[in-house]
Structure formats: C-alpha cells, structure tokens
Amino acid sequence: MITIYTTPSCSSCRKAKKWLDEHKVPYEEKNLFNHRIDDTDIEMMLNHAENGFDDIISTRSKVFKEQELEVEDMSVSELKSFIINHPSVLKRPIIVDAKRMQVGYNDEEIRVFIPKRLREMIMRENSEEDFTHYDETLSRYFATMTDEIDDEE
C-alpha cells in the first residue's frame, strides 16, 4: 500500500494525489497537520532514503531556520523527535510504499507507482523511447479492470 504524506496548502501534494487518483492507484493519505506521524513513519521514509534525513527534511523551513539547527549536530533520535514535533520540516509530498519512495512531485518519476500489470502492458505495447500510445494503453487497462469487476458481480 502506498502512503502519501501531504499538507493541505501543498500544490505538489494535490498534483500527486490527482495523478494517483487518475491512475486508480490506491493510497493512504496522511495529512501532516491532522495525522501525528510517529517513529514508524519516519523509519519507513529513512529505509528508502539514499541520503538519510537530507532526503526528507527541508532545512529551509521556517522552524528550522528560527531554531538555527544543523542536521549534522543532531543525533538520529533528536532528529526523529524534532520531526514528530515539527512535521512541517518534512519535504512534501513524500510518497512511499514497501519498495520505493519519491519526495516531491515529478511527472515521470511517479510512474514507478503504476501497478505491475499496467507497467507490463505499457512495456509490451510501447517501445522504450516511444510512449505515444501510453494514454491508449491506460484506457485499455482501465477497461479490463472494469470488465473484471463486472464479471465478479
């Protein structure tokens, strides 16, 4: 299951959710201001981060600047505690599942969250360089999903 960490005023968060909805990719949204994140959330992010906290923390955030903090001077437990108490320091959106993470919204990179069956259809029907038939493949994929739901009923 995909988890997306968002805030209401974040336009990139809205774009990511719209993309996931359009591609019928199920996700759980965790609004950083309404859902208190915990150590488990942070660990999940860090497990996928190539550069540790640098990948998920915005040191340009207001609270980070006001407190004149340096990531290098803080222990892991201090950083986790700081994030839990000040979730606005996290970059947004953070999209994570069991295998991968994307920070921010990128139209191309978000495609890693496309369901495996759809990815296989895309690769079978489109060459590596030519994704001109992507929308047609997407339509056929959603049609087969609808047909399967109809058959189950």
Side-chain angles (χ1 to χ4, degrees):
M1 169 63 90
I2 293 171
T3 303
I4 180 170
Y5 297 88
T6 65
T7 57
S9 62
C10 171
S11 62
S12 293
C13 297
R14 287 191 298 276
K15 287 179 188 175
K17 289 183 347 184
K18 181 180 179 198
W19 188 94
L20 293 168
D21 290 339
E22 286 174 350
H23 291 82
K24 296 180 176 38
V25 177
Y27 62 92
E28 174 188 11
E29 179 181 6
K30 291 190 177 181
N31 179 317
L32 293 170
F33 298 145
N34 297 335
H35 171 86
R36 187 165 171 86
I37 62 170
D38 58 26
D39 196 61
T40 306
D41 293 306
I42 297 169
E43 280 297 321
M44 184 168 54
M45 294 173 200
L46 291 174
N47 285 338
H48 300 299
E50 291 179 22
N51 302 302
F53 286 100
D54 289 341
D55 286 353
I56 62 172
I57 293 177
S58 174
T59 55
R60 296 180 311 186
S61 68
K62 184 178 176 183
V63 68
F64 222 85
K65 286 182 177 180
E66 285 175 350
Q67 296 195 21
E68 298 177 2
L69 299 171
E70 292 291 332
V71 173
E72 298 82 25
D73 296 338
M74 299 172 75
S75 69
V76 170
S77 61
E78 287 173 329
L79 277 165
K80 286 181 182 178
S81 179
F82 185 77
I83 293 169
I84 289 168
N85 292 316
H86 303 92
S88 64
V89 301
L90 287 173
K91 295 176 181 178
R92 298 177 290 276
I94 295 177
I95 309 166
V96 64
D97 68 8
K99 298 178 184 174
R100 61 204 143 241
M101 177 175 74
Q102 179 179 337
V103 179
Y105 176 76
N106 179 300
D107 216 19
E108 297 296 319
E109 291 176 11
I110 198 168
R111 292 181 181 194
V112 300
F113 295 103
I114 293 174
K116 182 180 179 183
R117 190 164 142 206
L118 175 55
R119 275 197 321 271
E120 289 170 351
M121 283 179 73
I122 292 167
M123 295 314 290
R124 194 172 45 245
E125 297 177 14
N126 299 285
S127 70
E128 291 269 337
E129 299 85 27
D130 176 29
F131 280 95
T132 56
H133 304 290
Y134 177 78
D135 290 333
E136 293 170 22
T137 303
L138 204 56
S139 295
R140 275 194 300 285
Y141 171 75
F142 293 139
T144 61
M145 286 179 55
T146 304
D147 291 344
E148 288 175 8
I149 290 169
D150 291 343
D151 291 343
E152 290 174 8
E153 295 173 353

